[in-house]
Structures are given as structure tokens and as C-alpha cells.
Amino acid sequence: MRPKYPRPGRVGYRRWIPSWRQTLGAFLTCGGLLALVVAIAYWRTEIPENPNSFAMQQDNVYYWADGTEMATTGWVSRQEMPLDKVPEDVRWAVLAAENASFYSDPGVSPSGIVRALSRMVGGGETQGGSTITQQYVKNAYLSQDQTLSRKFTEMLLSVKMENAFTKDEIFEAYLNTSWFGRGTYGIQRASQAYYGKDVSQLNASEGAFLASLLKGAGLYDPTLGPQNRERAVERWRWTLDRMVAIGKLSPEERAKFTDFPEPNEATGGRTDLSGQQGYLVELAKSYATRTGKISEKDFDLGGYQIYTTFDRSRTGALEKAVRDARGKLDPKKRPSDQYVRTGAATVSSDGRILAIYGGPGFLKQGFNESNAVTVPAGSSFAPFVYAAALSDGVVSERDAPRRPVTLSTTYNGQHNASLMTPEGPYWDRNGKVVKGKNDGETDWGSSITLRTAMVNSVNSTFLQLGMDVGLDRVRKHAQDAGLLPSSFGPQVPGFALGNSTPSAIRMATAYGTFAAEGVRSEPYSVLRVTRNGSSIELPKPRTQRAFSADVSQKVTEALEGVVDEGTGKAAKVPGVRSAGKTGTSQDNKSAWFVGYTGKQATAVVLYRMDLRKLDLLPLDGVASSKSGDPGHAMPVDIWRDYTKAVAARP
């Protein structure tokens, strides 16, 4: 009996060979099953709600006041740029090199997939088998694994993407997430890394070079070797010719690009936050997020361009002046030189923070000395007492009307002069009469002018003047000038002698009010902010009149005397008209010099503090200064050398 299976009427091996009907049926069945599997897979595949965090993360870029890049922050160098900000020639350079049919294809290339799979099976490179949509899907949603399952998922997601987004949206996302080498993602950061300018400023030739990097940045960066350069030039020419072939660049335009657009040398990576830059960045970030227009959470996602007020050359000059002065310290040999700290700031009279010295380096010490509110202002507070007296007058007798004061008004300048009230001597809680103690125990006599007292920093005079004006009025005028209420010390007689602890930034701001003829401007560190090319409106810095122009002029006259002939004469710079004031606390635990030239005020503070204990230490003997000498010369030296360097600038 002949077997009927699998094919009746056949014997031997022939009965195992399927008929054409069986072959067709099996093919259709398999095809149907495959189509069903693909359909089910497509139905079950969802575009992830968010791309990979790596694809979304951007850096923030900070710029100096002159527009040059200062620093970048963030763990990936990427900045998004709207497609309409990318020149059309640059867009088509990328499309010509990578996927000329992008705007007409379905998002996947069957022939490309077949080629990629064959290379994958053969152990070759799969690059070149993907459309731009597929490349974006791989960059934003998938891993870089070269597997069949990943390639299948890439294909399904690409089709989904084509149905969910416009071609322009996909192309924009691709340009903003692609790797261009030199640590950069996205064409905006690539343009800055290779050509030092925004992508909006690129031409077709430069765009053709950047497009070549998409094929493999490590192979096409011409600065990495002669073979790289040869490949880059060849690919650049091919891309431009390809643009002509697809009708996106005229032959006449192509003929203009004969020289390869040499990119800049690599700068060695991202800008770090060492030195003063870290302090500047933190100051600018704090200001930008404090305005209420940008939350810290959004800021940390990146994509912001922060244009600061910081003057690059001033910052360098201030750092050098501090470094040179601190070169006299020798903490290994002199215990008094240990824990010596310096802060400084320059603020324009319109509120712009131009330069700061925050410490030895942000990566060494994150604590910003220029913004510290731990050091008593000492006698550098005297101009606010004088301004209050000029503005409100004084009263020294009960129920007497206030009488005006001038620079020639006389006061007691004796050492150990008793502090007086309309009722008699002022007694402290211990039952002792409060007395004014002058630096060096110098006795200036029972009748000296306020100008003499200011020029020579006579404590007893300003202690009494503060009481006669009223400490509440002194406080108000100091606040109007720019000092923060949170930095004010107790409202006791010592308030007039600077028991408040303002920062160097705020002291420079307040002195800048005198330089601005009595108009106070709030200090600020950011000129403008953009995010991926779009401006973010920040509140305008506040201004208000603190003193009359006449009062400010009289304060300036007194402070010019300090520099010309008084305690600050070491700050004098030939050819520069300066006004300023030294500052010393009663216990010699702080030393200041605050002064201004023209419309810029600079404050320098010196103190000693072990940050583990947060206790101020005496400045006696620092840098071989004589024990018992009031204050210290270092702030004056720093201010002078810095001012001289700034004045010498072209």
C-alpha cells in the first residue's frame, strides 16, 4: 500500500517535496503570521512619554559682559536651538549628507534596513542604514546596541514618530541631540565648539563640514591628524556637490566655496569652575533664579544662556592684586598668617557687579568671601553716619530743634571722650560710662571738624555724631544707601562705629550710591537670559534716591580727603581722582578699604577666621604687621594695585 503522506502518488524522496500549492500556502501563512506579529507589535509599541534623560539634558552657558563665553555647567554639552534659527543652507547640508529624501520618505528605509542587517550579521558597521527619523529614535529613545530586536523596535518607533510628529519637529529634535564630537551634542554647541559662534551665523560651507561629523566625529575632526583632515575635506566637498545635485545649492554658490572652512583648535573640553569663575557662576545663577522668572528645577534642566555683568579684565586684575598681596603671607612660619581671608567686589553705580574676588578658588573653597556677611564694617561705616547727619541734622539737647551740620561743624575728638545724651553721659548695662576710643589712642582735641574726623577716622567723633543724629536714622540712611537690614548689628552706640556685617558687594553698592550723586541701584549680576535662543524677560533692577546730590557731594569731598591726606593716602593712584575710607573694627578683627573712582566702587575686606569654629581672630601680626597697629595695610594695597591696573587699560 502506497503512503499518502505528505504527497500521495509520489515515491521516495519526491513525496517529501512540497507542491507549488503547498509552497504558496506556507508562504502566505508565514507572511500572514509575520504581518500579524508586526501589526500586534506596532499596536503595542508606544512612543515613550519622555526621551532618555541624556537626550533631554542640556548645559547652561555663562558669558562675560563682552559676550565671550565664560563657563558652562551641566553634565552634557548640549543646547537646543529652534529649527528656524538654523540657516536653510546648513539644514540642507545635513540632509544632503545623511538623508536627502527625508521630507518625502516614510521614516524608514527598507533597503537601508536590509543593508544594515546584512552588515550586522556579517559583523560590520550598521551606520548608513538609517533615516534621520531612525537615527533620532536611536539617539533619544533606545540604546546603541547592535541587535536585531533593537533594530526592529527602532523601525516600529520610527513609523510611529512619523505619524505623531511633523517632519520639521523630527528634524529639529535630530539636530539637537546628535553627537558632533568634542564633547558636544546638538548643532548649536557643535557650532560653538568648532567655529566659536552660534549656528545662526554659519554658512553652507561650514554646515557641510559639521554634517560630515555625523558620520563619525572621531574620524572627521581635521585637528586630530592629517588622515582625519583628508577625510574631512573629501566629505566636505562631497556634501557640497551633493547639495548641488539635489537642487539645494546653486553651482554659482558652490563655486564660491573653494577653501576648506578650517575649524578652531579643540580647547581641551568644557570650561571648569576653578578659580574665580565658580564664584561668578554661582552669583549669576542665584540672581537669575531669585527673580522668580526661572525656577531652580527648570534651571538645572539646562538650555539657558546667561549674559552676566562681569568684566573679564577687571576680574583678572582684581584676582592678581589680591594674589600679589597675599603673597606676603607665610602661614607655615607665622601663626598669625593662618586663616587669613580676603573678599573684594567692584560694583558700578548703576548696580552692575563688574568683578569679585571670592576666595582662593571655587573648587578649593566654595564659600564666597565677597558675599560673606560675617565681618564688621568698622570705621568704613562712618560715611553713612555722616550722610545721615547731613540729611537730617543733629540734636544734642532735650526738645531742641535739629540743627544742620557741615564738614566744618566741630565735635570732640578726644580719646576716651564720654558719650553724651541730652540727659547726660550714656551708661552701659554694667553701670559704666561709654567712651569713644580712638585708634592708636590718639587724642585729636576737644574741637575738631567733621572733615578732620572723617579724614583721620576719629572714632570718638562718629560715636557721638551717631547718637546726635539718632541710631534709627543712621540705620535708615545706611539701608537707603544699599546695605541689607539683615546685616545690621545691634542698635547700640557701637552701631555708628560699624558693628554691622555687610558683604563686600553691598559695601561697594552703598559707596556707589555716593558716586551716583545719591541714587541707589540694586546690585545685579545678569544682563539678560535666553533659553535656546528665546529671551526671558527679567525684572529691571530697582533704583531709588537715597540722598540728595548735595549730601553725596559733601560725603565725596570728605572721602577724597581720606585718600589725599588721611588714613587712606596709601590708596592714592597718580592721575586718578579717588574717594574712599579705611575701616577697622574696635577689636582689630577686620580691616576694610572701600572707595570709588568715577562711577565704580570697590570694597576690599580682610579678616581671619577658622571656618570650622566661625570665630573672628585678631589681625595683629598678619604679614609681619606690628602688633597693636590698628587695621591692616593689605586692603588698601589691594585696592590701589587693582585701581592702578584698571586705569592702565587701553
Side-chain angles (χ1 to χ4, degrees):
M1 184 175 178
R2 290 184 176 180
K4 297 181 179 180
Y5 182 82
R7 293 187 63 191
R10 297 290 188 272
V11 295
Y13 70 89
R14 290 183 178 85
R15 66 189 179 92
W16 296 99
I17 298 176
S19 66
W20 67 271
R21 293 185 182 86
Q22 290 173 321
T23 301
L24 179 60
F27 180 79
L28 292 175
T29 300
C30 290
L33 289 173
L34 180 60
L36 180 62
V37 169
V38 171
I40 293 173
Y42 180 81
W43 176 70
R44 296 187 62 182
T45 299
E46 296 289 342
I47 299 175
E49 185 174 345
N50 294 310
N52 301 330
S53 60
F54 192 78
M56 290 293 290
Q57 182 71 36
Q58 301 181 64
D59 57 3
N60 291 321
V61 186
Y62 296 79
Y63 298 90
W64 294 101
D66 63 4
T68 58
E69 187 172 321
M70 180 178 75
T72 57
T73 61
W75 59 277
V76 60
S77 181
R78 189 178 79 85
Q79 293 248 305
E80 291 186 2
M81 183 60 63
L83 189 62
D84 60 8
K85 297 291 181 67
V86 180
E88 188 174 359
D89 283 345
V90 176
R91 284 182 256 164
W92 277 106
V94 173
L95 292 172
E98 292 294 305
N99 186 188
S101 63
F102 169 73
Y103 278 99
S104 60
D105 65 36
V108 294
S109 171
S111 60
I113 291 175
V114 171
R115 287 196 305 271
L117 292 177
S118 64
R119 289 172 184 162
M120 188 186 303
V121 172
E125 175 59 54
T126 64
Q127 181 71 24
S130 300
T131 64
I132 276 179
T133 305
Q134 289 175 269
Q135 290 182 51
Y136 170 66
V137 166
K138 180 179 66 175
N139 292 338
Y141 297 105
L142 304 175
S143 70
Q144 303 298 310
D145 296 339
Q146 306 293 343
T147 64
L148 290 173
S149 62
R150 202 274 296 157
K151 199 70 180 177
F152 182 62
T153 303
E154 174 191 302
M155 180 187 69
L156 295 177
L157 278 176
S158 297
V159 176
K160 285 266 186 176
M161 287 285 297
E162 289 285 332
N163 292 328
F165 300 96
T166 67
K167 286 287 190 178
D168 279 351
E169 288 173 331
I170 294 171
F171 189 33
E172 178 181 298
Y174 168 78
L175 289 176
N176 284 323
T177 55
S178 295
W179 168 253
F180 284 87
R182 294 194 181 181
T184 64
Y185 287 83
I187 197 165
Q188 166 69 355
R189 295 301 279 134
S191 177
Q192 292 168 335
Y194 289 92
Y195 290 110
K197 55 188 176 183
D198 285 348
V199 65
S200 61
Q201 300 172 298
L202 295 180
N203 59 32
S205 178
E206 294 162 332
F209 164 70
L210 292 184
S212 70
L213 297 170
L214 294 167
K215 191 172 178 62
L219 297 174
Y220 289 88
D221 184 343
T223 64
L224 299 181
Q227 292 183 328
N228 270 36
R229 191 181 190 284
E230 185 178 339
R231 280 190 291 265
V233 172
E234 181 181 356
R235 183 72 175 178
W236 165 75
R237 287 174 178 156
W238 177 87
T239 299
L240 290 174
D241 292 341
R242 177 73 171 149
M243 291 178 69
V244 174
I246 64 176
K248 297 303 178 182
L249 187 68
S250 69
E252 292 76 19
E253 284 294 312
R254 171 65 181 92
K256 296 178 182 178
F257 302 126
T258 56
D259 296 328
F260 179 66
E262 299 288 350
N264 302 330
E265 289 290 329
T267 57
R270 297 164 56 74
T271 308
D272 64 32
L273 300 180
S274 61
Q276 299 305 301
Q277 291 183 176
Y279 302 118
L280 299 173
V281 163
E282 285 300 302
L283 204 59
K285 176 185 176 181
S286 175
Y287 180 83
T289 55
R290 197 174 64 243
T291 60
K293 296 291 185 178
I294 308 170
S295 70
E296 285 201 39
K297 179 180 178 182
D298 289 342
F299 195 87
D300 288 341
L301 287 176
Y304 292 93
Q305 300 84 43
I306 303 95
Y307 296 86
T308 74
T309 60
F310 305 129
D311 185 304
R312 186 172 194 165
S313 62
R314 279 182 175 271
T315 299
L318 185 56
E319 182 177 20
K320 183 179 185 303
V322 175
R323 188 172 61 246
D324 289 348
R326 290 183 61 86
K328 302 172 185 177
L329 301 174
D330 191 348
K332 293 183 178 179
K333 292 184 178 180
R334 290 189 296 268
S336 59
D337 286 0
Q338 295 176 356
Y339 312 122
V340 175
R341 306 191 179 280
T342 314
T346 298
V347 180
S348 175
S349 59
D350 62 7
R352 289 174 295 129
I353 302 175
L354 302 178
I356 64 168
Y357 179 85
F362 184 73
L363 300 182
K364 296 179 181 178
Q365 174 191 298
F367 181 66
N368 185 351
E369 307 283 4
S370 73
N371 210 23
V373 287
T374 54
V375 188
S379 47
S380 63
F381 193 82
F384 309 121
V385 182
Y386 182 47
L390 289 171
S391 299
D392 295 350
V394 297
V395 57
S396 55
E397 299 176 6
R398 178 183 290 277
D399 300 326
R402 286 185 169 268
R403 56 186 174 87
V405 299
T406 66
L407 278 176
S408 59
T409 299
T410 58
Y411 260 78
N412 188 354
Q414 292 176 314
H415 177 63
N416 275 335
S418 296
L419 182 63
M420 303 300 292
T421 71
E423 289 78 20
Y426 184 95
W427 303 81
D428 64 18
R429 293 182 179 180
N430 296 319
K432 294 183 179 180
V433 175
V434 175
K435 296 184 177 183
K437 299 182 181 299
N438 294 331
D439 292 339
E441 300 184 356
T442 303
D443 194 313
W444 293 90
S446 60
S447 180
I448 63 169
T449 64
L450 288 180
R451 183 185 186 280
T452 300
M454 180 71 78
V455 167
N456 295 286
S457 197
V458 182
N459 291 336
S460 59
T461 297
F462 283 96
L463 185 70
Q464 186 64 58
L465 183 63
M467 292 296 293
D468 291 351
V469 175
L471 297 180
D472 56 337
R473 292 173 182 257
V474 173
R475 178 187 173 101
K476 176 187 179 300
H477 285 290
Q479 183 175 338
D480 288 346
L483 301 190
L484 294 176
S486 58
S487 69
F488 287 144
Q491 201 162 301
V492 297
F495 185 79
L497 296 182
N499 64 11
S500 300
T501 57
S503 67
I505 291 175
R506 282 289 169 172
M507 283 295 277
T509 299
Y511 272 60
T513 300
F514 299 127
E517 299 183 335
V519 177
R520 192 275 308 282
S521 298
E522 279 294 295
Y524 64 101
S525 55
V526 177
L527 295 169
R528 61 189 179 95
V529 176
T530 60
R531 190 172 196 275
N532 303 327
S534 299
S535 295
I536 297 175
E537 187 175 354
L538 298 178
K540 293 183 178 179
R542 299 190 306 274
T543 61
Q544 72 173 61
R545 178 158 290 283
F547 310 108
S548 69
D550 181 61
V551 166
S552 296
Q553 180 58 38
K554 288 177 179 177
V555 172
T556 296
E557 289 175 5
L559 296 181
E560 287 175 343
V562 173
V563 176
D564 286 340
E565 58 189 277
T567 57
K569 59 185 176 183
K572 195 168 186 177
V573 176
V576 177
R577 191 61 177 161
S578 305
K581 181 71 177 72
T582 52
T584 307
S585 62
Q586 288 281 281
D587 51 10
N588 201 34
K589 291 184 177 180
S590 67
W592 291 77
F593 188 82
V594 191
Y596 48 95
T597 60
K599 298 298 184 181
Q600 289 81 40
T602 300
V604 183
V605 59
L606 179 76
Y607 66 105
R608 292 178 65 215
M609 178 184 285
D610 182 348
L611 293 181
R612 295 169 298 182
K613 299 179 180 179
L614 300 180
D615 289 329
L616 289 173
L617 304 171
L619 292 173
D620 297 332
V622 169
S624 296
S625 62
K626 295 180 180 179
S627 181
D629 283 355
H632 201 281
M634 191 178 292
V636 176
D637 293 342
I638 292 171
W639 193 94
R640 180 196 62 241
D641 293 347
Y642 166 64
T643 301
K644 186 183 299 183
V646 170
R649 294 189 310 175

